[in-house]
Amino acid sequence: MSGRGGWWRGKSTPAKVETYTRWSFHTFPLVEVAAFALPAFGYVPAPVNWILFLLVSAHAALGAVTASLTLDWTRGRRPLPVRLLWALGTTTVVIAVVSLMIALHGPRGADNGAAAGTVFVGVLSFGIGTLALSVREPRRMVYGVLGAALGAGAVAVPAGVPAPAAAVAAGATVLAAGFFTFTSAFSVWLLNAVYELDEARETRARLAVAEERLRFGRDLHDVMGRNLAVVALKSELAVQLARRGRPEAVEQMIEVQRIARETQREVRDVVRGYREADLRTELAGAQGVLTAAGIDCEVSGPVTGLPAEIQSALGWVVREATTNVLRHGDAARCAVSLRVAEDRVTLTVENDGTPGSGAGTGTGPSTGTGTGTGTGTAEPGRGSGLAGLRERLREVDGVLRAGPAGDDLFRLTAEVPLPPDSVPEQAPAPEPGGSPRPVPHPVSEVTS
C-alpha cells in the first residue's frame, strides 16, 4: 500500500505516538503566530505591527526547532541542545520586554496597549512551555512557571504598569504557561510510557519463545542424559574387561550398541513430537504465547476427529502464523477459527495491527502470506517459514491464502480437503437460515 495511509500504517504504535507528539508541537508555532502576531495588524498601526509580527514569528520558529531537538534528547538520540535552549530563553525575555515597551510607550490607542500586552503574556507562555521539555522533574517545571509569572510582574511594575494590571498579567502568565508546561510534560510522559510498554511486550514475547526452547531442551536432556551416562559406564567397564582379556567385554559393547540405537530412536521421537505439530497442542500453545505477549487471542472450532496428517499440517500453519503475529505486527487481537464443512476443513487466522501490506492473495497451494519469514523450526529439506508451510499443505492438497482483509486487518486462510472416509466431529448444527458457527474452546479444553 502506498500513499499517506500506507506510511502511517507502516509505523509501530510507539512510532505513531511519537509522530503525533512531534506534529502537535509543530502546530504550536502556528497557534502562537495566529493568536498573537496576526491580530496586531488589526489593532496596532504600521510599522509597529510588522515589528510584533516578525518578533513573534521568529520566536515561534525558534521554539519549533528547539522542541524537535529536545524531543530527540528525551528519546536518547542526541545530546541536550543546551545552547539552543539558552537562545530560546533569552529570545523569550527580549521579545517579552520589547512588547511591554511597545504597550507602554508605543502608539496610543484603545487596543494598542492590550494587543502588545497580549503578546507579552503569549510569548512568555509558549517559551516556558517549550523549555519545560528539557526538564525531567515536575518540581522544577512548577518553579519555572512561577518564576516566569513573578518575573513578568517584577518587570511590568518598574516599567510603569499599574499594580493591578501587572497582577493580572502575572496571573495570566501562570495559567497560560502552566497549561503549556503541563502539555509538554504529559506528552513526554506518554511517549516514554508507550515505548516502555512496547519494550515490555517484546520482552514477554521473547520470554515465551525462550520458555518453549527450554522445554525442548529439558525433554532432550531427559532422554540423552541418562542414556549417555549408561553408555559411559558400560564403555569404561568394557575397556577394563578388554584389558584383562575377559570375553564379557564383547557383551558390554553389544549392550552399548543397543543403548546407542535406543537413544537414537528416543531422540527421533522427541524431535518428531516437536516437528510434527499436533493441532490441539498448537492451538493451546498459540493462545498461551499470544496472551503472554499481551495479545487477546480467541480460539474456536472443532479440533477432534481430523486425520493426523491434516492436524500436523494445520498445526504448522498455526505455529507459523503465531510467530508472524509476534514478530512482524503490532497486534492487539488475534482470532483463530477452525471450520469443517462437507469435505473441507478451513483454518483462519486473523490479526490486527499489520504494518503495511505487500501481501497478495493467491489461490494455489504455493500462495505466500507476505507477513514475514522464518520460524526457526523447519525440518532439513522442508524449507523454513512460509516456504515450509506451502510444502506441507501441498502434501495434503491444501491451499494457503493470505492478504489484507480490511483496515488494519490481516487474514491467513488454509483449506485442506478431507479424505472420503474421514468423518470428523462436526460443529453444532446451525440456526435456521444461518451458517455453522465456530464453538469457542477455552485453554483448559484445548489442552485436555
Side-chain angles (χ1 to χ4, degrees):
M1 183 179 296
S2 60
R4 292 178 296 176
W7 167 80
W8 178 255
R9 292 181 59 186
K11 290 178 174 290
S12 63
T13 298
K16 290 179 180 179
V17 175
E18 181 175 357
T19 301
Y20 173 79
T21 302
R22 287 183 177 276
W23 281 105
S24 297
F25 280 100
H26 291 335
T27 60
F28 284 173
L30 301 179
V31 174
E32 183 176 1
V33 172
F36 304 112
L38 293 180
F41 288 98
Y43 300 105
V44 181
V48 178
N49 52 8
W50 279 103
I51 295 175
L52 290 176
F53 175 79
L54 294 176
L55 289 176
V56 175
S57 299
H59 183 266
L62 182 60
V65 175
T66 304
S68 179
L69 297 181
T70 307
L71 282 175
D72 286 339
W73 169 75
T74 61
R75 297 303 313 143
R77 297 169 184 161
R78 66 168 65 243
L80 182 65
V82 178
R83 294 182 178 179
L84 199 59
L85 291 169
W86 275 105
L88 177 62
T90 303
T91 303
T92 300
V93 173
V94 170
I95 295 178
V97 172
V98 170
S99 63
L100 182 62
M101 293 299 102
I102 292 176
L104 293 175
H105 308 290
R108 297 298 177 181
D111 298 319
N112 297 347
T118 303
V119 172
F120 172 76
V121 175
V123 167
L124 282 178
S125 302
F126 276 93
I128 295 299
T130 304
L131 293 174
L133 291 173
S134 63
V135 181
R136 296 187 183 273
E137 298 181 7
R139 181 179 59 181
R140 293 187 177 182
M141 296 181 185
V142 174
Y143 290 163
V145 173
L146 295 179
L150 292 177
V155 171
V157 173
V161 178
V168 171
T173 302
V174 168
L175 294 178
F179 171 77
F180 287 113
T181 299
F182 172 79
T183 301
S184 300
F186 180 77
S187 298
V188 172
W189 173 84
L190 179 62
L191 182 60
N192 291 334
V194 170
Y195 270 104
E196 290 175 0
L197 289 175
D198 186 68
E199 292 175 0
R201 176 178 173 275
E202 292 181 357
T203 301
R204 293 175 66 180
R206 288 195 297 268
L207 290 176
V209 175
E211 184 178 355
E212 177 64 15
R213 291 177 178 174
L214 289 175
R215 182 193 68 81
F216 179 73
R218 288 194 299 267
D219 292 345
L220 194 60
H221 176 269
D222 292 342
V223 171
M224 296 292 294
R226 174 181 58 83
N227 291 350
L228 288 178
V230 176
V231 167
L233 290 174
K234 288 189 172 293
S235 299
E236 184 179 357
L237 178 57
V239 170
Q240 298 296 332
L241 292 175
R243 287 176 178 175
R244 298 175 185 176
R246 301 283 294 275
E248 291 86 350
V250 176
E251 296 179 0
Q252 295 297 328
M253 291 308 299
I254 292 175
E255 182 67 13
V256 167
Q257 187 181 33
R258 185 193 65 79
I259 295 175
R261 289 176 177 173
E262 181 68 18
T263 302
Q264 284 182 324
R265 184 188 63 79
E266 292 180 355
V267 169
R268 282 195 297 267
D269 291 340
V270 171
V271 175
R272 185 180 300 112
Y274 184 73
R275 287 175 174 170
E276 292 183 0
D278 177 73
L279 182 56
R280 182 185 296 271
T281 303
E282 291 301 327
L283 289 173
Q287 191 170 34
V289 169
L290 292 177
T291 302
I295 300 174
D296 183 19
C297 180
E298 178 183 355
V299 177
S300 60
V303 178
T304 59
L306 296 175
E309 62 274 11
I310 293 181
Q311 287 205 35
S312 178
L314 294 181
W316 271 94
V317 174
V318 173
R319 182 182 295 182
E320 174 67 13
T322 302
T323 303
N324 287 336
V325 171
L326 289 174
R327 288 183 177 179
H328 307 290
D330 189 22
R333 182 186 62 84
C334 181
V336 183
S337 62
L338 190 69
R339 292 177 180 269
V340 179
E342 297 179 354
D343 59 346
R344 184 170 294 272
V345 56
T346 303
L347 174 70
T348 303
V349 182
E350 289 184 350
N351 67 278
D352 59 359
T354 303
S357 64
T361 301
T363 59
S366 62
T367 301
T369 66
T371 58
T373 58
T375 63
T377 59
E379 298 180 44
R382 297 292 298 272
S384 62
L386 303 180
L389 286 185
R390 292 194 292 269
E391 293 182 11
R392 292 177 185 276
L393 288 176
R394 187 182 299 117
E395 293 176 0
V396 292
D397 298 326
V399 177
L400 185 66
R401 297 186 181 91
D407 294 339
D408 203 30
L409 185 67
F410 192 90
R411 177 181 299 148
L412 183 147
T413 304
E415 294 185 1
V416 180
L418 293 172
D421 57 346
S422 175
V423 184
E425 179 180 331
Q426 298 294 326
E431 298 177 357
S435 57
R437 293 183 299 174
V439 180
H441 285 261
V443 176
S444 59
E445 180 181 350
V446 173
T447 57
S448 60

